[in-house]
Amino acid sequence: MEHLLDPYALLVEPLIGYAFMRRALVACLALAMGSGPIGVFLVLRRMSLMGDAMSHAVLPGAAIGFIFAGLSLGAMSAGGLIAGLTVALLAGITSRTTILREDASLAGFYLASLALGVLLVSIYGSAIDLLHVLFGSILAVDDEGLLFVAAVASITLTTLALIYRPLVAECFDPTFLRSVGARGSLIHLIFLVLVVLNLVAGFQALGTLMAVGLMMLPAAAARFWSDSVAGCIAFATGCAMASGVIGLLVSYHFDLPSGPAIVLTAAVAYLASIVFGSRAGLLARYLRRPHFHDPEEVKS
Amino acid sequence: MTPASDGAITLENVIVTYRRLPAVHHLSGTFAAGSLTAIAGPNGAGKSTLLKTIAGLLTPSEGRVLRGNLNATDIAYLPQLPDIDRSFPISVAETVMLGAWKRIGAFGEVDSRERHRVGEALACVNLLGYAGAPIAALSAGQWQRVLFARAIVQEAPVLLLDEPFAGLDEDTQGHLISLVHEWHAQKRTVIVVLHDTDFIRRHFPETLLLARELVAWGPTGEVLTQENLGRARTIMAKWARSDDMPHHHHG
């Protein structure tokens, strides 16, 4: 374990010394740049669990892609994208036209989608294929996968920059936006497409289950450090990137699976934020100095 | 800035239903441009529903709301309990800046004129020192002042307010009602849902008394009579009985 004492061998060499680690590093950083901001908006929309639901919803699409084209990234991603968007749209339409609220209608559709996916995989694939879809492998990301993840990050950041103001307004006060005649539901739809895109980008690297972790944990932690949307986004992105790097190093040195190592690193950041966060973190709340009760006290 | 010809709103036999039950029934009449009107009535009389319909957020199942040449952005609407998460990471100034939507929209630049407008609006509601404060730090009264400041920045010829003084201390209430009088003096059309009849008598020249159907509409002194208020209660009691019946037929 002598190499643990050498900072270069400890922190740098593992990440640049091997082609598969270099690709994993770039994939992680690109994923973090897209997923971080998307997670912040999910938290702000009070839809934190939606990412989780959507990550399950992409399964049958990915399975159908797999059945037709084998372990092809393009086919599985396209299938996942179509399945995810279909579930999101059906849930959105149901909640807008019936008495059911969006969370309940989404739960209904994503559970159906998940069951269909498991059924398809168990008929046409093997348990190992299912595991691959569920847990992915960032160490096995190839050039094609890397391009896809980078493209999704670019599309996400460009689109968010374009719709930033209406999206924040729609999250904050949808009634106001409607009352001034803006197309709030169009903005919502564009945002849903971005959510699904990022989950699909994440699933081949981290798997459908772990991709949500990189999206939601940094975003939830961010609220403890900033009182502005932009501040939350900056923190979440930085936190997701750091989690990716640290998680990869931990997985390399201790020979652990990379996906869970990355998400657990983000979880540590989340727990630390709850306790130490400067905005309403537990310590900030209980260590707050008592205020003055009498104007005379201030003078003395 | 607000021509007198703009700002009249006419209701033509408006019916708004909720699950086949009428919430507002066969309502016709005109809010004259520049009028200051209170919408009064018992609980469940359809006051908020009517206001939302005028704002364009609900569509009448029959009849029409005629808004002349008013656009959606010409009507500032302040709901009773805005569906806003008060822990949202946004500052007071940013919230008030939303009022500039008509002029800057989704992509327009926030220039120094808009910043100046926001500063003036905050000064109007005595919150000048709070521009950078997160909205989570505000009291209920301060929060309502922020929403009024946003309405000021909207510079709308029509303002619709739903119970804007409920639960506020007397100071804030007095301050905000003086803003309403100022809007009235500027010849804007102001429609306010209120339940306190004494308050209406003191501050509102016109009143629309609603009990799902129109009871009376006109000068406040002629509308808020004991006879009319009694009639409103009787009509509501009748509706309350029919609400419980499983098979209500409209007719």
Side-chain angles (χ1 to χ4, degrees), chain A residues 44 162 165 173 178 223 227, chain B residues 57 84 87 89 105 107-108 150:
Chain A
L44 292 180
L162 276 175
R165 188 185 292 160
D173 191 351
R178 266 184 71 205
R223 191 60 188 92
D227 275 331
Chain B
L57 294 170
I84 293 177
S87 71
F107 308 109
R150 182 171 75 178

Side-chain angles (χ1 to χ4, degrees), chain B residues 83-96:
Chain B
D83 181 23
I84 293 177
D85 172 12
R86 286 279 305 282
S87 71
F88 198 96
I90 193 169
S91 72
V92 166
E94 287 171 314
T95 307
V96 175

Side-chain angles (χ1 to χ4, degrees), chain A residues 175-183, chain B residues 6 9 53-57 67-78 99 101-103 154-160:
Chain A
T175 309
F176 176 82
L177 207 59
R178 266 184 71 205
S179 80
V180 295
R183 301 278 307 274
Chain B
D6 275 49
I9 291 175
T53 310
I54 296 169
L57 294 170
R67 298 183 188 82
N69 44 7
L70 292 168
N71 293 320
T73 48
D74 292 330
I75 301 178
Y77 167 66
L78 182 52
W101 193 274
K102 165 166 68 170
R103 297 178 298 274
Q154 283 187 263
E155 296 186 348
V158 177
L159 293 114
L160 311 174

Side-chain angles (χ1 to χ4, degrees), chain B residues 209-251:
Chain B
L209 182 58
L210 194 65
R212 296 207 186 170
E213 55 189 69
L214 183 64
V215 179
W217 190 350
T220 298
E222 294 167 29
V223 171
L224 292 184
T225 60
Q226 285 313 318
E227 192 201 339
N228 281 341
L229 291 170
R231 241 181 67 207
R233 278 191 293 272
T234 314
I235 296 170
M236 281 312 295
K238 218 169 65 193
W239 278 117
R241 280 197 300 278
S242 75
D243 281 357
D244 296 334
M245 295 199 309
H247 300 293
H248 171 83
H249 288 282
H250 173 245

